[in-house]
Amino acid sequence: MKVGFLHSLIRKEEKFLIDEFNKRNEIELVMIDDRKISFNLGKDVFDYDAVIERSINHSRALHALTLYEQGGVKCINSSKVATICGDKLLTSAALAKNGIPQPEVRIAFTETSAIEAMEDIGYPVVLKPAVGSWGRLLAKINDRDAAEAILEHKTVLGTYHHSIFYIQKYVEKDGRDIRSFVVGGQCIAAIYRESPHWITNTARGAKAVNCPINNEIAEMSVQAANAVGGGVVAVDLFETKNGYEVNEVNYTMEFKNSIDTTGVNIPGHIVDYVIQTAKGA
Ligand SMILES: Nc1ncnc2c1ncn2[C@@H]1O[C@H](COP(=O)(O)OP(=O)(O)O)[C@@H](O)[C@H]1O
Ligand SMILES: [Mg+2]
């Protein structure tokens, strides 16, 4: 079985995955560096049984996945999952369509309509780039003065992407959120991400602590994964007094801080799923 491994820099996650693939004798792993490939549209013939996508760059991942799929290759994740998870607006739309609880959210395209949406929700609100990760360019906005300043900066200094205003109600979450891992329709592990800062990404210094999976976490995580198209994803959950809410769903998920913390062989599960998908199971 031939598996293509689409990558940029090899981070710890990729090392873990490569080690895991190398343990499986049936697999020939072909490294595909997204900095070196070029596609010959309509002429390329791919002989991969599956491609696993581990690019750091969302646009490269999305476009490469689209072209591999067009060439008949099964991809993990699919271009559909990459499209939806790569865009918080599309993720929220998919969650809403499937009736999955999420923080109150508004989308607006101008400064005036964005302010109106924020005041309708009530401060504090969180303004996020629709496409982005690692907690970058997130703004917690506590009042109208801050709202006006940030919206003006985004409009004047940003690209047009920055004027798609994704606005969420700020959720009080007592110093932590939950990150759960879903592989092939199964919630395999979860961590709490604890931080004194309101942004709890581990990339921003939050501490990872094992989170025992209860039925509610498992069910909501799997539902969220299914809503974006399944595959291998990590779900951000908030604990609220009304139960859990899904904040976002991530593809090309990072898990290096979660293997020892949870005791779960996350890359092992991913490789099993890739093999299963390649076999068409
Ligand atoms: N509406 C919100 N209320 C409270 N905290 C939030 C909210 N949105 C995001 N955060 C915090 O910021 C972190 C990063 O936000 P997230 O939407 O997951 O974006 P990213 O794609 O950058 O990870 C979350 O894990 C959480 O700690
Ligand atoms: Mg996140």
Side-chain angles (χ1 to χ4, degrees), residues 179 193 201 236 247-248 250:
R179 153 75 49 114
R193 300 184 299 183
N201 296 67
D236 290 357
N247 173 41
E248 66 153 353
N250 303 275

PDB file of all heavy atoms in Angstrom, residues 179 193 201 236 247-248 250, ligand 2:
ATOM      1  N   ARG A 179      -9.986  20.380  24.492  1.00  0.00           N
ATOM      2  CA  ARG A 179      -9.650  20.008  23.120  1.00  0.00           C
ATOM      3  C   ARG A 179      -9.841  18.490  23.037  1.00  0.00           C
ATOM      4  O   ARG A 179      -9.210  17.743  23.763  1.00  0.00           O
ATOM      5  CB  ARG A 179      -8.199  20.422  22.869  1.00  0.00           C
ATOM      6  CG  ARG A 179      -7.389  19.673  21.853  1.00  0.00           C
ATOM      7  CD  ARG A 179      -7.711  19.982  20.427  1.00  0.00           C
ATOM      8  NE  ARG A 179      -7.792  21.357  20.034  1.00  0.00           N
ATOM      9  CZ  ARG A 179      -6.936  21.951  19.180  1.00  0.00           C
ATOM     10  NH1 ARG A 179      -5.905  21.302  18.717  1.00  0.00           N
ATOM     11  NH2 ARG A 179      -7.150  23.192  18.792  1.00  0.00           N
ATOM     12  N   ARG A 193      -7.106  22.580  28.387  1.00  0.00           N
ATOM     13  CA  ARG A 193      -6.015  23.538  28.156  1.00  0.00           C
ATOM     14  C   ARG A 193      -6.200  24.653  29.171  1.00  0.00           C
ATOM     15  O   ARG A 193      -7.169  25.403  29.115  1.00  0.00           O
ATOM     16  CB  ARG A 193      -6.069  24.055  26.724  1.00  0.00           C
ATOM     17  CG  ARG A 193      -5.924  22.926  25.711  1.00  0.00           C
ATOM     18  CD  ARG A 193      -5.871  23.431  24.299  1.00  0.00           C
ATOM     19  NE  ARG A 193      -7.069  24.140  23.919  1.00  0.00           N
ATOM     20  CZ  ARG A 193      -7.278  24.623  22.685  1.00  0.00           C
ATOM     21  NH1 ARG A 193      -6.356  24.467  21.764  1.00  0.00           N
ATOM     22  NH2 ARG A 193      -8.398  25.244  22.400  1.00  0.00           N
ATOM     23  N   ASN A 201      -4.790  28.516  23.790  1.00  0.00           N
ATOM     24  CA  ASN A 201      -4.049  27.634  22.869  1.00  0.00           C
ATOM     25  C   ASN A 201      -2.741  27.200  23.533  1.00  0.00           C
ATOM     26  O   ASN A 201      -2.087  28.012  24.192  1.00  0.00           O
ATOM     27  CB  ASN A 201      -3.704  28.378  21.567  1.00  0.00           C
ATOM     28  CG  ASN A 201      -4.939  28.784  20.797  1.00  0.00           C
ATOM     29  OD1 ASN A 201      -5.691  29.625  21.247  1.00  0.00           O
ATOM     30  ND2 ASN A 201      -5.145  28.179  19.651  1.00  0.00           N
ATOM     31  N   ASP A 236     -12.544  22.074  19.648  1.00  0.00           N
ATOM     32  CA  ASP A 236     -12.423  22.963  20.817  1.00  0.00           C
ATOM     33  C   ASP A 236     -13.795  23.104  21.462  1.00  0.00           C
ATOM     34  O   ASP A 236     -14.744  23.533  20.800  1.00  0.00           O
ATOM     35  CB  ASP A 236     -11.951  24.365  20.403  1.00  0.00           C
ATOM     36  CG  ASP A 236     -10.497  24.413  19.938  1.00  0.00           C
ATOM     37  OD1 ASP A 236      -9.822  23.373  19.989  1.00  0.00           O
ATOM     38  OD2 ASP A 236     -10.047  25.510  19.542  1.00  0.00           O
ATOM     39  N   ASN A 247     -16.529  25.424  20.063  1.00  0.00           N
ATOM     40  CA  ASN A 247     -15.973  26.704  19.619  1.00  0.00           C
ATOM     41  C   ASN A 247     -15.470  26.627  18.186  1.00  0.00           C
ATOM     42  O   ASN A 247     -15.744  27.501  17.383  1.00  0.00           O
ATOM     43  CB  ASN A 247     -14.849  27.130  20.567  1.00  0.00           C
ATOM     44  CG  ASN A 247     -14.114  28.360  20.058  1.00  0.00           C
ATOM     45  OD1 ASN A 247     -14.730  29.282  19.556  1.00  0.00           O
ATOM     46  ND2 ASN A 247     -12.796  28.349  20.166  1.00  0.00           N
ATOM     47  N   GLU A 248     -14.733  25.587  17.871  1.00  0.00           N
ATOM     48  CA  GLU A 248     -14.264  25.416  16.496  1.00  0.00           C
ATOM     49  C   GLU A 248     -13.799  23.984  16.292  1.00  0.00           C
ATOM     50  O   GLU A 248     -13.656  23.225  17.253  1.00  0.00           O
ATOM     51  CB  GLU A 248     -13.128  26.395  16.154  1.00  0.00           C
ATOM     52  CG  GLU A 248     -11.857  26.153  16.920  1.00  0.00           C
ATOM     53  CD  GLU A 248     -10.599  26.621  16.171  1.00  0.00           C
ATOM     54  OE1 GLU A 248     -10.670  27.021  14.999  1.00  0.00           O
ATOM     55  OE2 GLU A 248      -9.515  26.544  16.774  1.00  0.00           O
ATOM     56  N   ASN A 250     -10.747  21.757  14.201  1.00  0.00           N
ATOM     57  CA  ASN A 250      -9.455  21.922  13.533  1.00  0.00           C
ATOM     58  C   ASN A 250      -9.090  20.696  12.721  1.00  0.00           C
ATOM     59  O   ASN A 250      -9.234  19.563  13.191  1.00  0.00           O
ATOM     60  CB  ASN A 250      -8.355  22.120  14.585  1.00  0.00           C
ATOM     61  CG  ASN A 250      -8.642  23.307  15.480  1.00  0.00           C
ATOM     62  OD1 ASN A 250      -8.320  24.441  15.160  1.00  0.00           O
ATOM     63  ND2 ASN A 250      -9.290  23.051  16.612  1.00  0.00           N
TER      64      ASN A 250
HETATM   65 MG    MG B   2      -8.653  26.783  18.503  1.00  0.00          MG
END
